[in-house]
Amino acid sequence: GVYFQYFDKELNRPVINEGADGLRHLDYVIQQAEKKNLKLIITFTNYWEAFGGMDQYIKWCNEAGLGNNLNRDDFYTNETCKKWYKDYINGLLNHTNYYTGEKLKDSEAVFAWELANEPRCEKNDAYCKNDILYNWAKEMSAYVKSVDPYHMVAVGDEGFYNFDRQSEPYKSTVDSDYAFSGNPGVDFDKLISIDTIDFGTPHFYCDSWSLKIDGVGKNGGDDDMDWLKLHAQSAQKANKPV
C-alpha cells in the first residue's frame, strides 16, 4: 500500500516515508496541480480512523509504552503525540518534491494547510469546558506558521458552535442540540479567533445533525440556512473568510 509514516522500532517513533510508496504520491499530485494551476488544501491528519489519523498516533504511543490506555482525544494533550505530530509537519513542509525539486512549503499549488479533518473532542471535553481543542489548535497553528509563514492555515473543523442554550440565537432559532450546543467539544467562534488561523471551514451534514429544513424549524425557520447565516456572521465578526 501507500503510507506517509511508519513506526521505526529502533528509534521508537514514527518516521516519514519519502519513497515511491510514500510522499512521492503527494509529490506527483502537487506537480500536476502546479501544471494545471489548481490549489490544494493539504490536511495533516484525520480525526476519523480512515487513513490512520489520530488513532494511529494513539496506537503507536500505547504500543511503545509511552501512554496509559490513551483514547483518541488524548491526541490533543499527550506530549508524545504532540511532538510526533509536529515532527511530521516539519518533515512534510520541508520535504523536497521528487518531481519539482522544491520544498512543499514553497509550492504555489498549496492553497493552505489544515490541522486535521473534522477534529472533535467530545469524549474528553464535551461542551468545551477545558478548551482542549482550542488550545491544541492555537499551539499547532502557531507551529505551522513558524515553519511556513507564507501559506494560510485552517483548523479543518466542522464548524460546531458552543452556544448557551438560554441565549440567542440558540433559544429561538436552532433545533439541533448537537450542532450548536458544544457537545462535540468544538467552538467555531473561538477557533476562528486564533491569530494564526486564517479562515473557517464549516462542514454540513444536515441529516446526521438533525438540522430542520423546509420551514419546519423554530418559528418556521430553517436550521440549514441558519447554519450558513451564522457562519457568515462569525466570519464577519472575526474579519476572516469561511
Side-chain angles (χ1 to χ4, degrees):
V2 176
Y3 54 98
F4 288 0
Q5 293 185 87
Y6 65 95
F7 195 84
D8 188 308
K9 292 185 178 180
E10 291 186 2
L11 297 175
N12 206 37
R13 61 177 174 83
V15 296
I16 295 177
N17 175 19
E18 300 188 85
D21 54 359
L23 288 187
R24 200 171 298 177
H25 285 265
L26 180 60
D27 293 342
Y28 179 76
V29 170
I30 290 174
Q31 179 213 34
Q32 292 300 306
E34 289 180 353
K35 283 184 176 180
K36 295 173 171 52
N37 196 30
L38 299 174
K39 305 299 179 184
L40 309 172
I41 296 180
I42 296 179
T43 307
F44 295 131
T45 193
N46 194 7
Y47 175 78
W48 308 108
E49 63 183 354
F51 315 112
M54 297 179 187
D55 282 343
Q56 188 61 59
Y57 284 99
I58 293 298
K59 181 179 179 181
W60 282 332
C61 205
N62 284 327
E63 290 179 349
L66 300 172
N68 184 21
N69 295 319
L70 302 175
N71 67 65
R72 185 186 298 173
D73 285 359
D74 291 322
F75 173 82
Y76 304 116
T77 54
N78 179 272
E79 293 301 324
T80 299
C81 286
K82 287 165 64 177
K83 183 181 184 305
W84 288 348
Y85 176 77
K86 286 180 178 178
D87 289 345
Y88 175 65
I89 290 171
N90 185 59
L92 184 70
L93 270 55
N94 284 295
H95 164 75
T96 299
N97 190 309
Y98 177 81
Y99 299 100
T100 68
E102 67 179 355
K103 293 183 177 181
L104 299 197
K105 66 181 182 181
D106 296 326
S107 173
E108 293 185 1
V110 177
F111 176 78
W113 308 107
E114 204 167 73
L115 298 182
N117 175 55
E118 303 188 339
R120 302 180 181 184
C121 196
E122 51 197 353
K123 186 169 185 177
N124 287 9
D125 195 23
Y127 307 108
C128 311
K129 295 177 180 178
N130 297 309
D131 286 331
I132 289 178
L133 184 58
Y134 168 81
N135 291 331
W136 176 83
K138 188 173 183 178
E139 177 183 350
M140 296 307 171
S141 59
Y143 179 75
V144 176
K145 292 284 191 179
S146 74
V147 180
D148 175 9
Y150 301 111
H151 282 102
M152 294 191 293
V153 178
V155 178
D157 62 288
E158 292 152 284
F160 293 125
Y161 281 104
N162 184 32
F163 290 151
D164 181 343
R165 289 176 178 78
Q166 300 306 313
S167 68
E168 300 292 345
Y170 189 94
K171 189 165 60 173
S172 64
T173 306
V174 302
D175 288 87
S176 172
D177 183 71
Y178 189 75
F180 298 96
S181 68
N183 181 264
V186 180
D187 186 333
F188 179 82
D189 278 328
K190 198 159 187 177
L191 289 171
I192 201 173
S193 74
I194 297 171
D195 289 342
T196 43
I197 293 298
D198 298 297
F199 61 97
T201 58
H203 296 186
F204 195 26
Y205 300 94
C206 200
D207 293 339
S208 300
W209 301 341
S210 301
L211 295 176
K212 306 296 185 185
I213 60 174
D214 298 328
V216 298
K218 289 180 182 177
N219 300 321
D222 297 330
D223 276 352
D224 53 347
M225 288 306 300
D226 288 334
W227 182 257
L228 301 177
K229 291 175 183 176
L230 287 167
H231 285 89
Q233 292 168 10
S234 294
Q236 188 175 36
K237 183 179 178 181
N239 195 28
K240 297 176 183 179
V242 296

